[in-house]
Amino acid sequence: MAEASAIRVEGLRKWFGEGPTRVNAVADVSFEARFREMLFVVGPSGSGKTTLLSLISGILRPSAGKVWVEGRDIWSESPDRLADFRLRTVGFVFQDYHLFPKLTTAENAALPLIIRRVPWNEALAQARRQLEVVGLASRADVPPGKLSGGEQQRVAIARAIVGAPDILVFDEPTASLDGETGHRIVGFVKRQILNEHRCIVIVTHDNRIYDFADRILHMEDGRIVGEERPRA
């Protein structure tokens, strides 16, 4: 495993509300994630996993603490630089895919490049190359509604990697998939998407895929309460 730090978090906190109604979603969390590492964050619903994911990926501003990504203190940067960070450094794979039904598979995968104002034809060409990576080259011109759940998840992965981000974050990637499909998808990500220049963070409560993790952080009540390394 590479020793370079991809993500470093110190004293991270996020609360909602004030006074007696305040809810501490993330409470004094510190950890490090490295390149060429697949890090799982696991725990029961409501433990703060998804909130933590939003804090480290530049979506939700912390109430306290620091987040460094590739050495950058992301929450000290201007709104424009933070938006650029989200576009170029982080790739998201959402639980419900978030595919646009009126666009083709290739057009959905090209969206991050189109937002970055890459010319349309070039963006589609790059998207098609990533669809080849995830085994969907033959489905590039069909709408998402004609794809299976596993295929839609692979489109979401192609969209996440089309801009060559260094950090990939997955929010409950197997929640909408049957056990066999979910296992196959995460195994594919571990073999084909993870590399020495990339770090992958997966939030999940699906213990069927824990054996793919390089490390697992256990969360409860907004805190990291344990860490383990699954046996190879």
Side-chain angles (χ1 to χ4, degrees):
M1 184 183 300
E3 292 300 325
S5 176
I7 301 167
R8 186 160 60 93
V9 169
E10 288 187 4
L12 197 61
R13 298 174 181 267
K14 181 63 181 179
W15 58 78
F16 299 95
E18 296 294 339
T21 61
R22 189 170 97 173
V23 175
N24 294 308
V26 172
D28 196 21
V29 166
S30 300
F31 70 90
E32 186 172 358
R34 303 174 183 89
F35 290 107
R36 207 172 67 185
E37 179 176 41
M38 181 177 276
L39 177 71
F40 281 23
V41 182
V42 309
S45 297
S47 60
K49 306 186 303 295
T50 297
T51 300
L52 178 62
L53 201 66
S54 298
L55 296 171
I56 66 176
S57 54
I59 296 175
L60 190 62
R61 182 174 292 276
S63 304
K66 295 283 190 178
V67 178
W68 291 271
V69 178
E70 299 182 321
R72 296 169 58 182
D73 180 358
I74 64 171
W75 289 109
S76 70
E77 298 193 340
S78 69
D80 285 346
R81 286 181 62 84
L82 189 59
D84 187 70
F85 162 80
R86 288 192 294 262
L87 273 176
R88 298 177 184 275
T89 305
V90 181
F92 300 90
V93 181
F94 299 99
Q95 176 177 338
D96 296 321
Y97 318 134
H98 290 191
L99 303 179
F100 289 87
K102 294 186 177 181
L103 299 181
T104 66
T105 295
E107 289 166 347
N108 269 283
L111 281 175
L113 299 180
I114 293 168
I115 293 171
R116 285 162 54 174
R117 300 182 181 178
V118 173
W120 179 261
N121 288 338
E122 181 181 344
L124 281 180
Q126 291 188 44
R128 288 177 182 274
R129 286 196 289 272
Q130 297 309 323
L131 289 172
E132 288 181 12
V133 171
V134 300
L136 290 176
S138 65
R139 309 288 272 163
D141 297 317
V142 303
K146 293 189 176 181
L147 303 178
S148 69
E151 287 173 330
Q152 290 185 48
Q153 184 67 289
R154 283 188 280 159
V155 176
I157 293 168
R159 181 180 58 193
I161 65 175
V162 71
D166 297 333
I167 311 297
L168 285 178
V169 292
F170 289 69
D171 187 8
E172 299 284 4
T174 63
S176 302
L177 304 175
D178 63 80
E180 181 181 352
T181 302
H183 205 265
R184 187 167 61 247
I185 290 290
V186 177
F188 169 83
V189 170
K190 181 74 177 279
R191 293 189 305 271
Q192 303 296 330
I193 307 300
L194 184 64
N195 59 42
E196 65 269 23
H197 306 295
R198 182 169 280 156
C199 174
I200 297 177
V201 180
I202 295 180
V203 159
T204 185
H205 64 271
D206 185 355
N207 59 14
R208 298 171 299 183
I209 61 171
Y210 285 6
D211 54 336
F212 290 110
D214 295 306
R215 277 192 302 144
I216 299 176
L217 302 180
H218 292 266
M219 284 194 76
E220 290 183 14
D221 300 324
R223 300 178 183 275
I224 293 175
V225 296
E227 176 180 331
E228 65 175 301
R229 296 177 183 268
R231 291 180 295 176

